[in-house]
Amino acid sequence: MGADVRPGMSCSALGQAIVKATAAEQGRHSQAQAVKDVFFSPGLGYTKNLRIDAALRVPLATVLADFADDTHELLAGLDSQYVVKGDPDDGPWETSGTYHLAVDNIVFRNVVHAVSQDPQAYAILRLAETRYAAQQLAAVQGDATGGALSLPPTKSARALGILDGVADAFARDQAWRTAVRDRLLREPTTQGSYQEDPAAYLTATWLQGLRDTPEAELANRLRTQGVDIARTWAQARNTDESTRQALLAEVDRSALSAYREAKS
């Protein structure tokens, strides 16, 4: 962060410096090492019961949202590359001009849990995962079958389930849940057709469903997000009924397993 960091600076100013130093360059993630350095900096890393100053929570969530593809993989935990490259001494690796961020799973979840105490920060993470999940589903070929059809929705449901689990303690607070929903619903969307823009359609449809959800059912609506998006997607693709039901059951199991894993 260079000259942007100086003795006695406020946490708010430090947060701004972190965001500036780690901003991805046109999706290439050229600053992946800077992000990794932040995660393993003194005071973060493997700290148990990690607490992050309130002024740093939104900036760190903003950084993670900027690396949505890597954050998706780190949440889901199904790509071995993110495991073998997760140690502090392992640098980012490059594929097709993009540098990827890998962080030890314990460190990553500690930081995600700590920033999620702020509902605005949590909503930023949730929106980034929602949009990326929608993009992954939209990219599935129309004639896909087997794992090519089931992996994207089950993987996305797992990532969302981990987010549910790490924020479980905070989600019991009505004010926290309301603040998360209010921030989610401020997100601009384009409600076109699935054929025009599949990813935008999936995102907007889920957010509209959230808008129509009674306050008392909000926590459950967040927890079923993976299944809800997969259902909308399968219907838009005109997936046959038997395939759809089997797929949604698999997605539901993936989300529930991740939720239990993350909150344990």
Side-chain angles (χ1 to χ4, degrees), residues 101-167:
L101 166 71
V103 181
D104 177 88
N105 185 260
I106 294 174
V107 173
F108 181 73
R109 290 196 189 174
N110 282 346
V111 173
V112 170
H113 183 272
V115 302
S116 294
Q117 185 172 350
D118 185 319
Q120 306 301 316
Y122 182 79
I124 289 170
L125 294 176
R126 192 92 190 192
L127 281 167
E129 177 55 34
T130 297
R131 291 192 178 281
Y132 189 78
Q135 291 168 11
Q136 294 299 102
L137 294 178
V140 176
Q141 296 296 316
D143 59 354
T145 59
L149 179 70
S150 64
L151 181 58
T154 53
K155 192 172 188 179
S156 295
R158 176 169 170 78
L160 290 165
I162 293 295
L163 284 177
D164 287 325
V166 298

Side-chain angles (χ1 to χ4, degrees), residues 133 137 149-161 164 223-234 243-259:
L137 294 178
L149 179 70
S150 64
L151 181 58
T154 53
K155 192 172 188 179
S156 295
R158 176 169 170 78
L160 290 165
D164 287 325
R223 202 141 48 227
T224 62
Q225 183 181 1
V227 175
D228 291 341
I229 290 180
R231 181 184 294 109
T232 301
W233 172 68
T243 300
R244 184 189 311 170
Q245 292 305 320
L247 176 64
L248 293 180
E250 187 175 353
V251 170
D252 186 47
R253 287 193 297 270
S254 179
L256 181 59
S257 173
Y259 169 68

Side-chain angles (χ1 to χ4, degrees), residues 14-43:
L14 176 60
Q16 293 174 12
I18 290 173
V19 171
K20 178 181 177 182
T22 57
E25 179 186 346
Q26 298 179 347
R28 296 186 66 247
H29 295 183
S30 57
Q31 299 302 320
Q33 184 60 54
V35 178
K36 190 161 187 171
D37 290 343
V38 169
F39 270 78
F40 286 104
S41 63

Side-chain angles (χ1 to χ4, degrees), residues 116 122 164 167-177 219 222-223:
S116 294
Y122 182 79
D164 287 325
D168 183 68
F170 312 129
R172 298 170 193 170
D173 180 353
Q174 181 65 51
W176 186 92
R177 294 198 305 270
L222 287 173
R223 202 141 48 227

Side-chain angles (χ1 to χ4, degrees), residues 7-240:
M9 71 188 305
S10 68
C11 283
S12 178
L14 176 60
Q16 293 174 12
I18 290 173
V19 171
K20 178 181 177 182
T22 57
E25 179 186 346
Q26 298 179 347
R28 296 186 66 247
H29 295 183
S30 57
Q31 299 302 320
Q33 184 60 54
V35 178
K36 190 161 187 171
D37 290 343
V38 169
F39 270 78
F40 286 104
S41 63
L44 293 181
Y46 293 95
T47 305
K48 292 183 179 180
N49 301 316
L50 177 63
R51 293 187 64 83
I52 293 176
D53 189 279
L56 291 175
R57 293 168 191 158
V58 168
L60 287 175
T62 301
V63 168
L64 288 174
D66 204 26
F67 285 74
D69 52 346
D70 292 326
T71 299
H72 173 79
E73 296 295 344
L74 288 165
L75 287 169
L78 300 181
D79 189 328
S80 61
Q81 275 283 75
Y82 287 83
V83 177
V84 299
K85 297 285 189 179
D87 288 340
D89 295 334
D90 293 326
W93 76 99
E94 182 264 342
T95 56
S96 303
T98 296
Y99 291 87
H100 293 285
L101 166 71
V103 181
D104 177 88
N105 185 260
I106 294 174
V107 173
F108 181 73
R109 290 196 189 174
N110 282 346
V111 173
V112 170
H113 183 272
V115 302
S116 294
Q117 185 172 350
D118 185 319
Q120 306 301 316
Y122 182 79
I124 289 170
L125 294 176
R126 192 92 190 192
L127 281 167
E129 177 55 34
T130 297
R131 291 192 178 281
Y132 189 78
Q135 291 168 11
Q136 294 299 102
L137 294 178
V140 176
Q141 296 296 316
D143 59 354
T145 59
L149 179 70
S150 64
L151 181 58
T154 53
K155 192 172 188 179
S156 295
R158 176 169 170 78
L160 290 165
I162 293 295
L163 284 177
D164 287 325
V166 298
D168 183 68
F170 312 129
R172 298 170 193 170
D173 180 353
Q174 181 65 51
W176 186 92
R177 294 198 305 270
T178 299
V180 168
R181 182 176 70 170
D182 289 348
R183 173 60 184 86
L184 291 173
L185 295 181
R186 290 202 306 270
E187 188 72 2
T189 58
T190 302
Q191 181 73 66
S193 68
Y194 182 81
Q195 289 70 29
E196 292 171 336
D197 191 334
Y201 174 83
L202 294 172
T203 300
T205 300
W206 183 75
L207 287 173
Q208 183 57 54
L210 185 67
R211 187 183 305 277
D212 298 336
T213 300
E215 193 76 25
E217 299 173 16
L218 179 58
N220 286 336
R221 190 58 186 258
L222 287 173
R223 202 141 48 227
T224 62
Q225 183 181 1
V227 175
D228 291 341
I229 290 180
R231 181 184 294 109
T232 301
W233 172 68
Q235 290 172 343
R237 288 169 58 90
N238 296 317
T239 307
D240 68 81

